[in-house]
Amino acid sequence: MKFFIDTANLAQIQEAHDLGILDGVTTNPSLMAKEGIKGHDAVMKHYVDICNIVTNGDISAEVVSTDFDGIIAEGKKLAALHKNIVVKVPMIKDGVKAIKWFTDNGIRTNCTLVFSAGQAILAAKAGAAYISPFIGRVDDTGWDGMELIHQLRQIFTMQGFKSEILAASIRNSMHIIKCAEAGADVCTCPLDSILGLLKHPLTDIGLAKFLEDAKKFA
Ligand code: E4P
């Protein structure tokens, strides 16, 4: 399973990259706004800055247009910024049409805001490189987001769909482990959830004892 970081914060992206386990980055308009980036040029520069940190992974940059022509125009500009940019397109009717157009024209896409198997099937048929089911937001409504990952894994494997299942809206470290169990191709996670995987009290206790005993033969 590939690890993407789900943030537009450059320091966090750098920290995850320095760990040596980062395969890419996802952003969205809310994450960009959180970083206080304002204006078209600043947004474009920020995407390039991200690409310059994670030089060997895909970077999702989301369109904010909702009509076919607008999505295409915006997506072309984003894709031209860097070879690693993947155009993130919402799961709406014009979005599906745009994903197919981008696929036919050699531009890779990430279909976002996916909450059902039906939506995922449409995005896969249109040729999305990545499909992003939002686990945490499904959980928030009282349904089981992880069930969706299991369902998509079964359908995509059975049907031979090429799109990668990119588990998104990750809220904790257990989500990451469960995504790995369910066969997600990619998990995009906040930095805290990635770092949470490091933690175990027995590791801390064991290390303290090893370091104490090491003093005996220093
Ligand atoms: C990533 O591609 C999604 O935009 C993101 O994971 C959404 O996460 P949230 O539900 O925590 O906002």
Side-chain angles (χ1 to χ4, degrees), residues 6 26-28 31 62 88 110 112 132 134 137 166 168-171 188:
D6 194 25
T26 51
T27 62
N28 64 38
L31 293 171
E62 187 160 342
K88 209 171 174 194
N110 172 359
T112 190
S132 294
F134 278 32
R137 294 194 197 185
L166 194 170
S169 190
I170 296 293
R171 299 282 166 78
T188 189

Side-chain angles (χ1 to χ4, degrees), residues 91-217:
M91 170 34 75
I92 53 176
K93 197 172 177 185
D94 278 22
V96 173
K97 284 165 66 179
I99 289 169
K100 177 71 170 93
W101 187 94
F102 286 130
T103 305
D104 291 345
N105 287 276
I107 293 175
R108 292 175 308 138
T109 54
N110 172 359
C111 183
T112 190
L113 292 167
V114 169
F115 294 92
S116 76
Q119 292 178 325
I121 290 169
L122 279 179
K125 293 288 292 176
Y130 297 103
I131 295 176
S132 294
F134 278 32
I135 295 173
R137 294 194 197 185
V138 173
D139 287 355
D140 289 343
T141 62
W143 296 72
D144 184 358
M146 209 54 66
E147 272 305 309
L148 181 57
I149 303 298
H150 281 283
Q151 191 183 20
L152 296 191
R153 179 70 284 149
Q154 193 183 358
I155 292 170
F156 279 38
T157 301
M158 188 182 289
Q159 296 295 335
F161 289 150
K162 301 272 187 294
S163 311
E164 294 191 50
I165 301 168
L166 194 170
S169 190
I170 296 293
R171 299 282 166 78
N172 54 58
S173 305
M174 187 52 82
H175 267 159
I176 302 176
I177 296 165
K178 292 285 178 194
C179 282
E181 278 181 350
D185 298 296
V186 191
C187 201
T188 189
C189 327
L191 181 61
D192 283 354
S193 302
I194 297 174
L195 296 180
L197 295 172
L198 285 166
K199 292 180 195 158
H200 199 289
L202 291 179
T203 303
D204 298 338
I205 293 166
L207 182 61
K209 176 79 172 110
F210 285 154
L211 295 179
E212 188 188 312
D213 287 345
K215 289 180 197 155
K216 295 175 187 165
F217 59 82

